[in-house]
């Protein structure tokens, strides 16, 4: 038997889990604000099935204005770091992400912000809506009404 390896049968089985990221809340509607006023909020990033440490980066949307100019009115900050660290029990600690918006020009945006890990998994997208144009028009309208009183 020892000289003939064809008598041995090895069977392997398992479950393959792909790492993914969930968000709480799953989408975000930022409050309308006047021009050049910053609005911000926090979201929880919930990583699942990461077996090794991975750093998260964010692909921020570039907005094209009516005159063709391009701006980046969104910013993000991770106050406790942006590394996904697996624990000994196989779970991953949640991350906090502070998201901000500020623009000196009127814009409206409905789209995605991508959270990408070190292995370039881009499957994590966060839905985002910002309607500053509506806020600016309402703000201007209220200002005119109050100035007439």
């Amino acid at each position: 038997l020892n000289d003939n390896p064809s008598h041995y049968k090895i069977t392997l089985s398992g479950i393959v889990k792909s790492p993914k990221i969930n968000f709480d809340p799953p989408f975000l509607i930022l409050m309308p604000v006047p021009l050049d006023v910053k609005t911000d909020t926090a979201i929880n990033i919930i990583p699942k099935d990461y077996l090794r440490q991975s750093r998260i980066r964010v692909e921020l949307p570039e907005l094209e204005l009516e005159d063709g100019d391009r701006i980046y009115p969104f910013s993000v900050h991770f106050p406790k770091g942006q590394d996904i660290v697996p624990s000994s029990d196989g779970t991953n600690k949640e991350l906090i992400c502070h998201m901000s918006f500020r623009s000196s020009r009127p814009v409206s945006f409905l789209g995605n912000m991508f959270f990408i890990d070190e292995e370039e998994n881009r499957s994590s997208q966060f839905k985002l809506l910002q309607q500053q144009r509506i806020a600016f028009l309402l703000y201007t309208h209220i200002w005119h009404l109050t100035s007439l009183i």
Side-chain angles (χ1 to χ4, degrees):
L1 266 179
N2 290 340
D3 294 333
N4 191 352
S6 64
H7 291 263
Y8 295 102
K9 181 179 178 182
I10 297 175
T11 304
L12 301 175
S13 65
I15 298 173
V16 176
K17 292 184 177 183
S18 296
K20 65 180 179 175
I21 297 174
N22 292 322
F23 302 97
D24 182 29
F27 62 91
L28 188 63
I29 300 174
L30 293 173
M31 295 299 298
V33 292
L35 294 177
D36 215 23
V37 172
K38 183 178 177 180
T39 182
D40 58 2
T41 190
I43 60 169
N44 291 321
I45 299 173
I46 308 162
K48 293 194 184 243
D49 300 324
Y50 278 84
L51 302 176
R52 59 181 154 258
Q53 184 169 328
S54 187
R55 187 171 193 86
I56 297 295
R57 66 181 175 88
V58 182
E59 190 175 278
L60 299 172
E62 177 185 55
L63 306 183
E64 184 173 352
L65 303 175
E66 291 177 1
D67 64 0
D69 286 349
R70 295 182 176 277
I71 61 170
Y72 288 91
F74 297 99
S75 63
V76 295
H77 171 68
F78 294 86
K80 296 183 179 180
Q82 59 197 80
D83 291 331
I84 296 172
V85 181
S87 65
S88 59
D89 65 356
T91 60
N92 303 123
K93 186 178 177 184
E94 292 184 11
L95 303 173
I96 297 172
C97 178
H98 287 260
M99 191 176 304
S100 301
F101 172 87
R102 175 184 281 176
S103 177
S104 60
R105 309 264 304 271
V107 296
S108 293
F109 174 74
L110 172 61
N112 297 319
M113 188 175 288
F114 289 94
F115 290 76
I116 305 164
D117 66 19
E118 286 182 353
E119 303 209 7
E120 297 299 318
N121 291 318
R122 297 176 52 95
S123 59
S124 303
Q125 55 183 325
F126 185 74
K127 303 278 185 202
L128 184 64
L129 170 65
Q130 170 60 33
Q131 295 182 329
Q132 188 184 23
R133 174 169 292 151
I134 293 172
F136 178 70
L137 293 175
L138 290 173
Y139 182 79
T140 304
H141 184 66
I142 291 170
W143 183 80
H144 284 298
L145 286 175
T146 55
S147 67
L148 294 175
I149 295 175

